[in-house]
Amino acid sequence: MTTSPSPLSITSPADILSYVPHALGFVPFESLVVMTMTGRRVGATLRVDLPNADGNAAAFADGVCSFLSSDDTADGSLMVLYTAAGWERPDDPPYGTVVKALGSALETAGLHLRDGWLVSPSTWRDYFCADPQCCPWPGHPLESVADSALNAELIYEGSSFASSVGAAVHLAAAAAPIPQTTANVTLACSEYAALCEGRWLEGGQFRATVEVWEAVIGLPLPPDCSEQPRVAGFLLASLGSKTIRDFLLVSSCLGLASAVRGARACALLEERYPAAPPVAPALGTLRPNGRVRDASVWDAPSSRADALRLSELLSGSYEGAILWNRVDAVHALLTRLSPVSTGEGKAALCSMLAWIEFARGRGSRACVHLAEAEEAAPDYRLARLLSELISRGGMPAWARKRSSAWAAPYRQAG
């Protein structure tokens, strides 16, 4: 589910149909898309897989409404059905039982279904209109959507979308610069994994590791930096620690200070500083001073509330604000590291990317990353747990509210 960050001028059905892939970042396939409306303004956009033919239509409709009802400013909705299912007669549209149940559920939720359309691989038409004068059979050519005024406006402003959800995920990875050869990074990763085995959570080593992550979050990894393969290898090696992996997810959403307090409150860190100095790569030109500037971050007292906040964040039940700019920066960094990761490090990284997409309310993209995690390391625990959560229709509490949900940057650079 995504939200529209700014008002859009929508004057025709073609505008609505052109907006959907821009909002999602990809063209839906065998999907139901429902958009909330506040007056004439589009709010949240929800995409779900179409149910099986023998599924419970009422339960499916109630599930859709459970996601949309959190948009407490909305007073209506629109629907777009994407399917290759045949529509043989004007009065017998595909998924009629499902749409009827959806209309009833939306009405009960105060989100009157104002209109709807069906998009096939070649045509589109009004779902509820059987008048051949305004809705000729079998429909309008799908190419006409590309000619809409809104589509031209979004493309002019730099928005783009992929042909499928898988293509959208892999397009981002393909655009990411590969720091050096995979072999160089893998060698560095193995070296740091051996040097830090059993030490990742020691006070000094943990601090040094976090400071390397902090130094590179949000920064480019230039190909001409001779230290870059070692930095990338060190970051990937550190993900072998499940505590560091989860700590980074919390830190990305709540900030470093909150994550440190939560980890300390949960007794996840070893509060000792052995004689052996911590291991970390030289940061060089990535940042002259990679240390976290506010030293009080490491020494701030923690409480039970910090532990509860950490637990709620990871489980998706947290209802506070999320630092979306920081989340996006961490996502960009993990995406840059993805092409040079292998094995369990790849599984950890893909699981983190999946969790971030889950946090954004984009379960479809999360599933693509989870499939990559499964391929890299079958039965990787975080990937399995997250897959089960998404398959049950799970969505974070913060993603259900307009005030705290991530806003999709559909006006992204093409």
Side-chain angles (χ1 to χ4, degrees):
M1 185 163 66
T2 61
T3 57
S4 173
S6 59
L8 296 167
S9 176
I10 296 177
T11 60
S12 68
D15 282 343
I16 287 287
L17 299 182
S18 67
Y19 165 74
V20 171
H22 283 282
L24 297 176
F26 61 92
V27 179
F29 173 75
E30 295 301 323
S31 301
L32 171 71
V33 174
V34 182
M35 291 161 281
T36 60
M37 299 289 291
T38 302
R40 296 178 60 85
R41 179 177 178 179
V42 176
T45 301
L46 173 71
R47 189 216 67 85
V48 295
D49 291 340
L50 287 169
N52 296 326
D54 56 353
N56 187 320
F60 173 81
D62 289 342
V64 169
C65 287
S66 71
F67 293 120
L68 298 173
S69 59
S70 57
D71 188 353
D72 52 14
T73 66
D75 54 19
S77 58
L78 299 171
M79 174 205 81
V80 186
L81 194 70
Y82 292 83
T83 181
W87 190 346
E88 304 300 333
R89 302 197 319 270
D91 61 346
D92 185 25
Y95 293 94
T97 302
V98 172
V99 173
K100 182 178 180 179
L102 177 66
S104 297
L106 288 169
E107 193 72 36
T108 301
L111 299 171
H112 173 68
L113 184 58
R114 300 179 184 177
D115 213 337
W117 301 269
L118 183 140
V119 177
S120 76
S122 59
T123 62
W124 67 271
R125 63 175 290 110
D126 191 301
Y127 189 89
F128 301 106
C129 179
D131 184 352
Q133 297 299 318
C134 62
C135 299
W137 189 260
H140 305 280
L142 193 57
E143 292 81 0
S144 64
V145 172
D147 298 329
S148 76
L150 180 61
N151 190 54
E153 177 187 346
L154 292 175
I155 292 176
Y156 178 77
E157 293 187 4
S159 179
S160 63
F161 55 85
S163 59
S164 67
V165 62
V169 171
H170 294 131
L171 182 64
I178 297 179
Q180 283 279 356
T181 64
T182 301
N184 290 342
V185 176
T186 301
L187 182 62
C189 180
S190 299
E191 178 184 333
Y192 284 120
L195 289 172
C196 298
E197 184 177 5
R199 295 190 55 200
W200 289 113
L201 303 184
E202 291 177 356
Q205 183 58 53
F206 178 79
R207 179 181 298 193
T209 301
V210 170
E211 288 182 342
V212 174
W213 278 97
E214 287 296 309
V216 297
I217 287 174
L219 295 179
L221 296 179
D224 59 350
C225 177
S226 62
E227 297 161 340
Q228 183 176 298
R230 299 192 61 76
V231 172
F234 179 82
L235 297 178
L236 291 171
S238 72
L239 297 183
S241 166
K242 295 177 175 58
T243 298
I244 289 179
R245 178 200 66 194
D246 295 348
F247 174 90
L248 290 168
L249 293 176
V250 176
S251 172
S252 68
C253 292
L254 303 182
L256 178 60
S258 184
V260 170
R261 293 196 304 271
R264 182 173 290 121
C266 292
L268 299 177
L269 307 181
E270 300 175 11
E271 303 287 359
R272 59 191 178 93
Y273 293 79
V279 175
L283 294 173
T285 57
L286 289 179
R287 180 178 290 179
N289 178 10
R291 297 186 64 81
V292 176
R293 294 180 179 180
D294 186 1
S296 65
V297 164
W298 305 112
D299 304 317
S302 59
S303 66
R304 184 175 181 276
D306 294 309
L308 182 62
R309 190 178 300 111
L310 182 149
S311 176
E312 290 178 342
L313 190 284
L314 290 174
S315 66
S317 60
Y318 178 70
E319 296 187 355
I322 302 295
L323 304 177
W324 289 119
N325 287 342
R326 183 173 169 87
V327 171
D328 292 344
V330 172
H331 181 274
L333 173 58
L334 296 177
T335 300
R336 290 198 297 271
L337 292 172
S338 180
V340 292
S341 60
T342 58
E344 189 160 311
K346 178 80 168 184
L349 189 147
C350 289
S351 298
M352 293 174 72
L353 285 169
W355 190 92
I356 289 176
E357 294 294 14
F358 164 74
R360 288 170 163 177
R362 305 202 296 186
S364 301
R365 294 177 186 244
C367 288
V368 174
H369 289 301
L370 291 173
E372 294 175 339
E374 174 68 18
E375 182 178 353
D379 295 325
Y380 187 73
R381 181 169 174 75
L382 177 59
R384 187 170 68 251
L385 292 175
L386 189 54
S387 180
E388 292 173 358
L389 177 61
I390 293 174
S391 68
R392 295 198 299 268
M395 181 178 286
W398 60 80
R400 295 171 179 264
K401 298 185 297 183
R402 185 193 293 252
S403 59
S404 56
W406 179 75
Y410 56 82
R411 285 188 173 99
Q412 57 191 311

